[in-house]
Amino acid sequence: MAKKHEPFVFGDVSVAAGTQQSVKLPAAKLYNDTPMDLHVEVFHGTKAGPVLLVCAAIHGDELNGIEICRRLLGRVNAKTLTGTLLIVPIVNVFGFIQQSRYLPDRRDLNRCFPGSAKGALASRLAHLFSSILVKRATHIVDLHTGAIHRDNLPQIRCDTDDKVMLDMANAFGAPVIMSSKAREGSMRGYANSLDIPCILYEAGEALRFSDMSIKSGVNGVINVMRCLSMTKGKIKTKSTSVNASRSYWVRSESDGLVNIKLKLGERVSKGQVLANIVNPLGGEPSPLLAPTDGIIIGNSNIPVTNEGEALFHIAQFSGDEIEIINDNLDDFMQEYA
């Protein structure tokens, strides 16, 4: 007889095998004594396996990940699950209420890990999340968007030298994988320091929903679960992820209005005009040229600029991979448009 899967004990809550349960972790209080809780949805499978943590809105204004988590709730059945799935739709509950990237003390939560039980608000929230959630996970998918007024093509960022993370990234199915070491103080960096594989999904813009980014994210998380043998079924994606060799931002060389010529996801050739910078009072335009071949994976959505501001994020690819990613993007757009 197979050994019975033990309950998943989470704080003072015991989640039985084959069940789903909502858990609220007290995080802090507002000025008016209103309690703020960290909501965790726990799916505890009938068989032992990985503990996958899926979290969103470490930056409170990054909304696509919240919707990805919401849709995932209706796609997972604890009775057919192997392992345990922990979904945290909103990590930075304070920033979410204020529609802000930051906490009320103006700290970036994703620079405060692992935090401290006796530190400032950001440090305390990071400590709560680290000690109760990150340390319980065996694998993590961290959902993000671009910053306010910046749009990102769906992409995975991780340490591609780590085989487990690379396997998760390939399974996710975003068109681009960026080799990226985690920043000090970030949740991903802290997880990696504990040898917990963590990949970061970047897609869309802060304070905006992108249906393509959301659909791709839901499918990507389910693909990762299949990769980890948590759910049955084949990994479903029409396009193959391609690793970028490097990326860089193209900055404005003058001040003025920005007349964009190329869009997110488009291929660029060295010397091609990305945008024309024009004086609002007239005169000749100043063309902004692509320094290399590549694909636009991020851009500013503000049509005004000062000299030196970052306008286009371009990823480079080696050899024939530029042709592969160009074809893959067409398939990706058709699949998630």
Side-chain angles (χ1 to χ4, degrees):
M1 182 180 293
K3 184 179 178 181
K4 183 179 178 181
H5 194 197
E6 297 297 323
F8 188 81
V9 180
F10 197 72
D12 59 357
V13 177
S14 179
V15 184
T19 67
Q20 173 188 351
Q21 190 163 340
S22 298
V23 180
K24 292 185 178 180
L25 304 176
K29 291 183 178 181
L30 298 178
Y31 296 128
N32 63 357
D33 205 38
T34 302
M36 299 290 290
D37 296 326
L38 201 63
H39 183 108
V40 185
E41 200 69 24
V42 182
F43 295 82
H44 190 44
T46 55
K47 299 178 183 178
V51 178
L52 175 64
L53 169 62
V54 179
C55 59
I58 283 181
H59 295 133
D61 59 356
E62 298 184 357
L63 307 183
N64 282 332
I66 300 174
E67 177 64 8
I68 290 170
C69 288
R70 189 192 70 80
R71 295 188 189 186
L72 281 171
L73 298 179
R75 298 283 300 272
V76 180
N77 184 350
K79 296 183 185 300
T80 59
L81 183 68
T82 296
T84 305
L85 175 65
L86 306 175
I87 298 180
V88 186
I90 306 169
V91 180
N92 184 354
V93 289
F94 300 93
F96 175 69
I97 289 172
Q98 299 295 326
Q99 299 181 14
S100 170
R101 177 184 180 91
Y102 305 104
L103 284 146
D105 58 5
R106 295 299 299 167
R107 284 182 170 86
D108 185 334
L109 180 59
N110 210 30
R111 300 294 180 268
C112 297
F113 284 87
S116 167
K118 297 183 179 179
L121 177 60
S123 185
R124 289 174 185 243
L125 183 56
H127 174 75
L128 173 69
F129 194 78
S130 298
S131 58
I132 297 183
L133 286 154
V134 174
K135 286 185 175 180
R136 296 294 302 275
T138 61
H139 303 76
I140 301 175
V141 177
D142 187 17
L143 305 171
H144 286 259
T145 76
I148 191 167
H149 304 311
R150 282 190 179 179
D151 204 356
N152 277 337
L153 184 75
Q155 58 197 261
I156 291 291
R157 299 180 185 180
C158 68
D159 181 357
T160 56
D161 292 332
D162 184 285
K163 183 182 183 305
V164 177
M165 281 189 266
L166 183 58
D167 287 346
M168 291 170 65
N170 281 320
F172 196 99
V176 178
I177 298 174
M178 302 290 299
S179 181
S180 168
K181 302 293 183 182
R183 292 188 178 186
E184 184 177 353
S186 68
M187 189 275 287
R188 180 163 67 101
Y190 176 62
N192 291 168
S193 74
L194 300 177
D195 293 325
I196 300 170
C198 177
I199 63 173
L200 188 150
Y201 176 60
E202 282 271 3
E205 178 187 0
L207 294 177
R208 299 286 185 273
F209 271 171
S210 161
D211 199 46
M212 175 185 71
S213 301
I214 293 166
K215 288 179 180 177
S216 169
V218 172
N219 191 60
V221 174
I222 292 173
N223 278 342
V224 170
M225 293 175 67
R226 288 173 174 152
C227 171
L228 298 176
S229 300
M230 296 179 71
T231 58
K232 294 181 180 179
K234 294 182 179 179
I235 293 171
K236 295 180 180 179
T237 179
K238 291 183 179 179
S239 58
T240 304
S241 301
V242 180
N243 292 13
S245 57
R246 66 180 288 263
S247 69
Y248 60 90
W249 279 92
V250 180
R251 298 181 179 274
S252 176
E253 298 173 356
S254 56
D255 312 296
L257 306 178
V258 184
N259 290 331
I260 293 177
K261 299 299 181 184
L262 295 176
K263 299 178 182 179
L264 196 68
E266 287 197 76
R267 179 176 176 176
V268 300
S269 301
K270 182 179 180 179
Q272 189 171 1
V273 177
L274 299 170
N276 284 320
I277 313 301
V278 297
N279 188 313
L281 302 179
E284 291 297 316
S286 175
L288 183 66
L289 306 181
T292 66
D293 295 349
I295 299 289
I296 298 173
I297 61 168
N299 64 263
S300 170
N301 287 328
I302 302 177
V304 294
T305 185
N306 291 115
E307 185 177 358
E309 287 186 356
L311 296 182
F312 295 92
H313 191 190
I314 295 180
Q316 289 182 271
F317 301 87
S318 57
D320 295 334
E321 289 186 335
I322 186 69
E323 302 293 343
I324 297 172
I325 184 63
N326 194 48
D327 293 339
N328 285 354
L329 277 169
D330 290 339
D331 294 337
F332 182 86
M333 298 297 184
Q334 290 177 8
E335 185 175 3
Y336 294 110

